[in-house]
Amino acid sequence: MRGLAIVGLGYGVVSLADATVKWVMPEIGPAAALIWRGLIGALLVFLLARGRGLIPVNRRLLAVRSLLHCGVSITWYYCWAAGVSLADSYAVASASPLLMTLLAIPLLGERVGWRRWTSTMVGFGGVLFMLQPGGELWRIESLILLVATAVMALTRIWTRILTRTDGPYAIAFWLLLAHVPVGLLGLPFPFLWPAAGGPPPLLPSLLGVAALVAFGLANAVAQMLFARGFALAPIQAIAPFEYTPLLWGIGLGFLIWGEVPAWTTLGGAAVVIGAGLYNVHRERVRRAAERRAGAG
């Protein structure tokens, strides 16, 4: 229960951070957002850890996961800068638990029965419903987000594996620090610049700096919460919390930008969430049966 509470808090914190960076994105652009996130977040983790516990054990997996996560981050930032709403991006990301169910088979050795296979396919039908031609999400950015969601599901599984060898400070610190060089590599590309055109400013406005500092701090806290929560709770118990950002996104998007998701987005997301929750239920039933068989 403690692990689930930590993960739930982490999703709330990261949703607020996402809303903050989306708000400041027109001023700085995706590449600069990545740099600011890495600098402030890594510094906070370093200070909280007092420089201890940051030496990685599983260095190869930690490095690959961190770089992939940077790719996911800059994809999200690019799509937000291109006009995708917070709720719409979270609706596409709701497919992540379904993908985690599939990836847990080869990576964690979990078994999936026909019921979960069926519900997973139904869930992907919900994704296709959201992305139907003529709908609000019928745009190239949605396809890009879907690919990023698949990569994000993989990094979630790898987080679970990494917690067996590395602590939350090391996992969070190196992930955030990797954002700095990746963001610097993105600076020469105009499509990662601010909406007004031209390279991002060296120092944004005072309000922009305040937003970026809050964004970096929130991301650092969220990554540490995820690392700790994933170590305490099993994947199948955590999966339902993957859907809570959609609720955050709907509320924050409406309050800040007046965004209201289309009915096709909400309908498809409801199918995806229903399928994901059914998968969690079936996993609990299977584990309960295994415990009874073991006790017998």
Side-chain angles (χ1 to χ4, degrees), residues 23 27 203-213:
W23 179 82
E27 184 178 354
L203 191 65
S205 65
L206 184 60
L207 193 57
V209 171
L212 288 168
V213 170

Side-chain angles (χ1 to χ4, degrees), residues 24-40:
V24 78
M25 193 68 65
E27 184 178 354
I28 62 169
L34 213 67
I35 297 171
W36 279 90
R37 177 186 185 184
L39 286 174
I40 298 172

